[in-house]
Amino acid sequence: MMSSCMLIFFFICSHCQVSAITFQQSPPQIVEESTEVQIKCSHNDTSLLTMLWYQQRQDTMSMTLIGYGYGTSPPNYEGQFEEQFKLTREDTVKGALIVLKANPSTSAVYFCAASTHENTVTYNDPAYFGQGTKLTVLGKYFKPGINITAPTVQVLPPSPKEWENKDRNDNTKKNKTIVCVATGFYPDHVSVDWKIDRKNVTDGVATDSAALRKNESYIITSRLRVPFKYWFTLNKEFTCTVSFFNGTHNELYSDSVYGVEAKGVLTREKYLKITQNAKLSYAVLIFKSSIYGAFVVFLVWKLQSSAGKQKD
């Protein structure tokens, strides 16, 4: 059995690596209580003889080693996990984690990992991790097909208080925060993405690390920080899309807000519009002045001509 020191060692960044090794894990699963669940794992490196399995529960967000298998040797389990799980190995690169009798406490994300030796501390070998498989177990008071509920998505504009700029001479450096709130969904298989004018953005995005349980459903929030001039661009579109796994496939739910015209604030766009209007007004004024000047000259000439004729 691995020591706790070895478990900690696995999560030192230099030993939890992402490489050219390709992992394949089972997709997300939503199951009823007392169901037996199989989560499969495979990778493409035959030199990695050890396969390990970890559990990451939402209430702790830390990874816990379930057990591991080395080559064809019988698997080793950590503590109480031997009663809840079974590790199987088809060959060096293929294996599975079996949840013997699923219950709400086994709802978690399960990670498959691989390493060269079973004792990574001694051999100083890195461990490579798969993408994880999320498992949600419906409790007895939930009825499958009825209580799987899609999210309601709402995008909120920046707070008016955030519009108040202390430095009125330098508005270009201010940011605005747009908030996306997804509520009332179950289970918590969601991800959040943002778009500006229908183009994906990641800069300035901060999404909750996990959905928050609220009674019998979940809530998750995401924030998008945008430059001052973006929000004060009339009709600029900011869209939040929530991808929700309903037990069979992902469904998308979106909401949008739109940029507004700046009031009492001289943005670059507004400045250009004002200067363009000023140039046009000035050109019209010059044209009118020229017409008026020509008319005056013509009138003077006409009067002079009339005076000359009278003298004759």
Side-chain angles (χ1 to χ4, degrees):
M1 184 178 295
M2 291 188 176
S3 66
S4 58
C5 185
M6 179 177 177
L7 176 58
I8 295 171
F9 187 84
F10 265 107
F11 297 100
I12 298 175
C13 292
S14 61
H15 291 83
C16 297
Q17 299 189 8
V18 177
S19 71
I21 299 170
T22 301
F23 278 84
Q24 294 291 334
Q25 281 194 226
S26 297
Q29 298 185 52
I30 300 174
V31 302
E32 296 181 51
E33 192 169 4
S34 300
T35 302
E36 182 176 288
V37 181
Q38 184 179 70
I39 300 174
K40 295 183 179 181
C41 173
S42 64
H43 59 80
N44 62 349
D45 192 334
T46 56
S47 69
L48 302 177
L49 301 180
T50 302
M51 182 171 287
L52 311 98
W53 287 93
Y54 291 86
Q55 181 191 69
Q56 184 182 47
R57 293 180 54 175
Q58 183 179 323
D59 55 355
T60 62
M61 293 308 295
S62 61
M63 284 189 174
T64 305
L65 178 65
I66 296 172
Y68 68 96
Y70 179 75
T72 58
S73 302
N76 295 272
Y77 298 90
E78 292 291 311
Q80 78 283 4
F81 288 123
E82 187 170 5
E83 300 174 2
Q84 298 175 285
F85 302 94
K86 180 181 179 181
L87 305 184
T88 63
R89 197 77 176 273
E90 186 176 331
D91 55 38
T92 304
V93 297
K94 293 182 180 179
L97 171 71
I98 299 175
V99 184
L100 298 175
K101 195 173 182 179
N103 60 72
S105 68
T106 53
S107 292
V109 180
Y110 293 91
F111 290 90
C112 170
S115 183
T116 306
H117 295 89
E118 73 274 26
N119 193 331
T120 307
V121 174
T122 301
Y123 291 96
N124 198 32
D125 292 333
Y128 302 91
F129 281 73
Q131 73 275 20
T133 297
K134 188 165 188 173
L135 172 66
T136 297
V137 182
L138 301 172
K140 291 180 179 179
Y141 56 93
F142 287 106
K143 298 178 181 178
I146 296 177
N147 291 282
I148 293 179
T149 309
T152 298
V153 180
Q154 184 178 13
V155 179
L156 306 175
S159 167
K161 292 183 179 180
E162 196 178 24
W163 298 354
E164 298 174 0
N165 296 283
K166 294 181 180 179
D167 185 0
R168 296 183 178 274
N169 297 319
D170 190 8
N171 293 316
T172 59
K173 293 184 179 180
K174 302 298 180 181
N175 291 322
K176 301 300 172 192
T177 304
I178 302 170
V179 179
C180 177
V181 183
T183 58
F185 57 92
Y186 184 88
D188 59 335
H189 288 249
V190 293
S191 61
V192 183
D193 296 295
W194 284 92
K195 290 183 179 180
I196 298 179
D197 287 338
R198 301 184 181 181
K199 294 182 179 179
N200 293 325
V201 292
T202 54
D203 290 343
V205 174
T207 302
D208 295 345
S209 59
L212 177 66
R213 185 69 176 267
K214 188 176 182 181
N215 298 323
E216 295 181 0
S217 64
Y218 287 90
I219 180 174
I220 192 169
T221 61
S222 181
R223 294 152 295 283
L224 173 64
R225 296 275 285 173
V226 298
F228 175 89
K229 63 180 182 179
Y230 276 31
W231 177 247
F232 288 112
T233 299
L234 187 62
N235 293 327
K236 197 169 190 67
E237 185 180 40
F238 306 91
T239 302
C240 171
T241 299
V242 177
S243 177
F244 173 70
F245 180 68
N246 64 7
T248 58
H249 63 278
N250 287 310
E251 296 178 331
L252 302 180
Y253 298 86
S254 301
D255 190 32
S256 301
V257 292
Y258 297 88
V260 299
E261 184 177 2
K263 295 181 179 180
V265 179
L266 189 62
T267 62
R268 183 175 182 274
E269 291 76 12
K270 197 169 184 178
Y271 171 77
L272 291 175
K273 186 176 180 180
I274 292 172
T275 54
Q276 289 295 331
N277 289 338
K279 288 178 182 178
L280 180 60
S281 298
Y282 183 70
V284 171
L285 180 62
I286 294 296
F287 177 74
K288 287 182 176 180
S289 298
S290 300
I291 296 296
Y292 179 75
F295 174 74
V296 171
V297 171
F298 174 77
L299 185 60
V300 170
W301 175 79
K302 195 73 173 175
L303 291 172
Q304 288 177 346
S305 297
S306 298
K309 288 180 180 179
Q310 289 177 359
K311 289 179 180 180
D312 293 340

